[in-house]
Amino acid sequence: MSTAIVRIVSELRSIVAAWRREGLKIAVVPTMGALHEGHLSLVRAALAKADRVIVTLFVNPSQFNNAADLAAYPRTEHDDAAKLASVGAHILYAPNAADMYPPGFVTTVSVGGVSEGLCGTFRPGHFDGVATVVTKLLLQSGADLAFFGEKDFQQLHVVRRLVRDLDIPIEIIAGPTLREADGLALSSRNTRLSLTERHRAPRLAEILLQTVKQLSSGESVERALTEGRKAILAAGFSKVEYLELRADTDLASLVTMDRPARLLVAAWLGQTRLIDNVEVPLRRPAVAQQAAA
Ligand code: AMP
């Protein structure tokens, strides 16, 4: 099957309207392209739940707070289209920046609360860019379901919040983070790592898991995070932007492990910024563990 490439929103809308008349369920998977198995896992999950799947490809200038990062972002539309055809996506919607942001465009969707802290601190304006473009893409596609990866955990919260707050009639479904065999989370930015850096990169996920173990064995949050930050630097990363424990449901900062949580990290390896996160299950009190045994 080939995947149709659509660039104009009116064309996308008329295809979607025809699908609707047939009573089909429609899913959308927003991406910035340079597709890897992580993206394709979301497309497969979408195909399992919907009759038609639209994958959007738009390298959104307004969410890059660094011009060099935007310029270096891989653009591989031809390969992306072939990958999407091989998994059976129906449409690749790849609008032009000039159509997404025509002259006179002045509207920004800004999500409070969950956008603050973590990447929000280190990438000023990033989540305004994400929230604005995701709102546009969800409204343009008119889909019933939208799929996002847990890899970008804060982004997932931002998207859930804006959909709720703006009453956008779409269900947000999260997919787990896909990893290389050595544990490194798949990312379009991994291709920028040198051989030495690529060798070091999986330590980030290993350290996250070690820190989770420490937290689960009753270590204080502050101490576990301090140890974790030190370990990341000792592994050859040049800078740790953050290593933080946040509540799984609303990203509230946690100083004790009193509810299901996420451990989130952003760190630089040379010129490449990597982010990752893992689940931290709530440790059951010893009494409850004995009772369950
Ligand atoms: P991006 O192209 O980086 O904007 O990512 C598009 C979507 O794919 C987002 O919802 C990401 O969270 C998701 N994604 C990126 N990397 C992974 C991964 N390793 N596993 C699962 N989903 C991912």
Side-chain angles (χ1 to χ4, degrees):
M1 191 192 106
S2 75
T3 302
I5 299 182
V6 174
R7 297 198 191 276
I8 309 293
V9 64
S10 56
E11 193 189 334
L12 180 69
R13 286 214 164 107
S14 63
I15 296 170
V16 169
W19 287 344
R20 287 246 169 270
R21 285 194 291 275
E22 289 179 59
L24 299 173
K25 191 168 214 179
I26 301 158
V28 64
V29 184
T31 81
M32 296 204 299
L35 300 183
H36 50 61
E37 274 300 315
H39 299 113
L40 298 182
S41 71
L42 295 178
V43 178
R44 289 193 189 95
L47 284 163
K49 288 223 173 199
D51 305 300
R52 295 290 182 272
V53 173
I54 301 162
V55 177
T56 73
L57 190 179
F58 183 60
V59 183
N60 175 34
S62 75
Q63 74 186 67
F64 284 80
N65 51 318
N66 174 329
D69 188 27
L70 174 62
Y73 204 84
R75 285 156 214 260
T76 57
E77 185 183 302
H78 187 74
D79 290 352
D80 293 343
K83 286 177 188 169
L84 291 176
S86 76
V87 294
H90 300 85
I91 287 184
L92 171 58
Y93 174 56
N96 294 312
D99 291 329
M100 288 294 271
Y101 301 114
F105 187 99
V106 288
T107 301
T108 300
V109 178
S110 189
V111 179
V114 290
S115 288
E116 289 154 20
L118 304 170
C119 289
T121 301
F122 292 92
R123 302 187 69 188
H126 169 68
F127 285 121
D128 282 1
V130 168
T132 305
V133 82
V134 168
T135 302
K136 282 176 70 82
L137 292 169
L138 299 186
L139 294 175
Q140 289 180 341
S141 70
D144 305 292
L145 311 170
F147 288 73
F148 290 85
E150 288 185 351
K151 162 78 178 10
D152 299 277
F153 198 71
Q154 190 176 14
Q155 169 176 285
L156 176 63
H157 274 273
V158 169
V159 171
R160 284 196 194 284
R161 192 70 251 169
L162 76 86
V163 162
R164 244 179 267 148
D165 290 355
L166 300 179
D167 302 311
I168 301 178
I170 197 162
E171 183 186 348
I172 304 300
I173 301 180
T177 301
L178 257 75
R179 297 176 180 281
E180 301 282 4
D182 59 15
L184 175 64
L186 295 181
S187 164
S188 310
R189 290 188 171 86
N190 291 350
T191 52
R192 297 188 197 167
L193 298 171
S194 71
L195 225 58
T196 317
E197 289 164 353
R198 175 63 190 83
H199 193 67
R200 289 179 179 165
R203 283 291 292 140
L204 195 61
E206 282 170 25
I207 293 164
L208 285 182
L209 295 177
Q210 275 169 20
T211 308
V212 171
K213 252 194 203 160
Q214 284 199 307
L215 290 166
S216 304
S217 68
E219 183 62 272
S220 82
V221 171
E222 194 189 334
R223 209 186 151 108
L225 296 181
T226 305
E227 292 297 310
R229 289 184 196 108
K230 274 194 213 152
I232 295 167
L233 293 174
F237 284 75
S238 37
K239 185 181 168 195
V240 182
E241 283 187 353
Y242 61 80
L243 173 68
E244 286 194 39
L245 189 71
R246 296 290 184 112
D248 210 45
T249 47
D250 62 2
L251 289 188
S253 265
L254 296 184
V255 284
T256 53
M257 250 316 290
D258 56 4
R259 60 195 110 154
R262 281 272 157 175
L263 183 61
L264 302 107
V265 70
W268 285 84
L269 195 48
Q271 300 302 306
T272 309
R273 182 179 185 270
L274 298 179
I275 61 169
D276 201 349
N277 69 86
V278 291
E279 192 182 3
V280 192
L282 187 59
R283 188 170 65 101
R284 287 182 300 165
V287 180
Q289 276 175 14
Q290 275 166 16

